[in-house]
Amino acid sequence: MQILGAVALVHLLNDLTQAMLPSIYPMLKSEFGLSFTQVGLITLTFQCTASLLQPWIGFYTDKRPMPFLLPMGMVATLIGVLMMSFASSFPGLLVSAALIGVGSSTFHPEASRVARAASGGRFGFAQSLFQVGGNAGSALGPVLAAAVIIGRGQGNIAWFAVGVAAAIAVLVYVSRWHTHHLAQPKKAAAVVASPLSKGRVYGALTVLALLVFSKYIYMSSLTSYYTFYLIDKFGVSVSNAQMYLFLFLAAVAAGTFMGGPIGDRIGRKRVIWISILGAAPFTLALPYVGLFWTAVLSVVIGFVISSAFSAIVVFAQELMPGKVGMVAGIFFGLMFGVSGIGAAAMGHLADINGIGYVYNLCSYLPLLGILTVLLPHIEQQHK
């Protein structure tokens, strides 16, 4: 449990740093004279470096574990944060965002493997605890950005380097535990085969990827542009908009924590059903309500739609036994990549049609949750 807590804490610090990026977009947009398209490109740059490396790192370390990759990767995040605090041009912002993404891409596959190794067999709970650390960091990021950076200048971004340095110290401890854990003699275990044929496994993984697409394109519309939407539609201040974003992200953290343990009890396929398709009535209503109900619906949407990710990751790991790091890398990478592409595309649409158009368009995405019907019943086959 101590190791689970440690990787969850670092996930909090890592994602807190990531959440700082969209939180300071209004400030950067004003100071650098950026368009919405350029704002989207910052997210795209970060998400691409945070996503493209992950499956390859996971694939490689499934065969050759590299525990000390955890603190080494976080050093890239530290450099990125410090660079962003004194960047003087748009390309400088892109390079800084890319370095933060590199740190994230090395952290997630290896940390997910550590969480599973320390789970004691409670895989859904372990994945949720690990993931909720990240969601809690995402929720705290806008609050700290509003308190430390907004209105105080770009140089104050450097304060986030303190948290990253703490994460490096914790990861040195975690990597030593993992090195010791890997060195322990293991009982000979039978190779566990997937319960399905290769064709059905790939088909199920495709469905899971499409579900991640629907979930994270919509989530990207909220995390990257929610503050702009509130400012544009309701005229709230930047600081107040950050508080509304915090409420949404706090709901995401709560939903993530509940999703894993519930999936352990009632089955992961049921959690995926409820999470993605169940969010659709609320997302469809969001563009047509006032400020109060916008806040309420965003909290409901955040809680409901976030509960699926831990279930999706563990479901995929059960489809491909022995590929823990690669599966985690694929789905965390897919999450970042989809979010980045979505953010860039939505930024361009917002420049052309306005930010309200983006929310009308994205409100239909959770309807893709109907694809859950195509997932196999592998949990029943294990019983």
Side-chain angles (χ1 to χ4, degrees), residues 255-274:
T256 299
F257 183 72
M258 296 298 295
I262 291 173
D264 284 339
R265 287 176 175 267
I266 70 171
R268 284 171 258 286
K269 184 175 178 178
R270 288 178 182 172
V271 170
I272 296 168
W273 262 119
I274 296 167

Side-chain angles (χ1 to χ4, degrees), residues 96-118:
S96 303
L99 285 169
I100 295 172
V102 168
S104 184
S105 69
T106 58
F107 170 73
H108 285 96
E110 278 298 285
S112 187
R113 185 199 321 284
V114 171
R116 191 173 179 92

Side-chain angles (χ1 to χ4, degrees), residues 270-284:
R270 288 178 182 172
V271 170
I272 296 168
W273 262 119
I274 296 167
S275 173
I276 299 178
L277 190 60
F282 306 107
T283 63
L284 290 168

Side-chain angles (χ1 to χ4, degrees), residues 215 218-219 222 226 244 246-256 274-286 292-308 366:
K215 169 181 164 61
Y218 187 80
M219 293 282 280
L222 283 172
Y226 190 44
Y244 284 108
F246 167 74
L247 289 176
F248 164 71
L249 294 173
V252 169
T256 299
I274 296 167
S275 173
I276 299 178
L277 190 60
F282 306 107
T283 63
L284 290 168
L286 184 67
F292 173 78
W293 285 108
T294 294
V296 171
L297 287 178
S298 70
V299 168
V300 174
I301 291 165
F303 183 85
V304 173
I305 205 169
S306 64
S307 59

Side-chain angles (χ1 to χ4, degrees), residues 31 49 108 114 220 225 244-245 265 292 298 315 321 323 327 340:
E31 290 189 8
T49 57
H108 285 96
V114 171
S220 183
Y225 299 105
Y244 284 108
L245 181 60
R265 287 176 175 267
F292 173 78
S298 70
F315 196 102
K323 305 290 185 183
V327 168

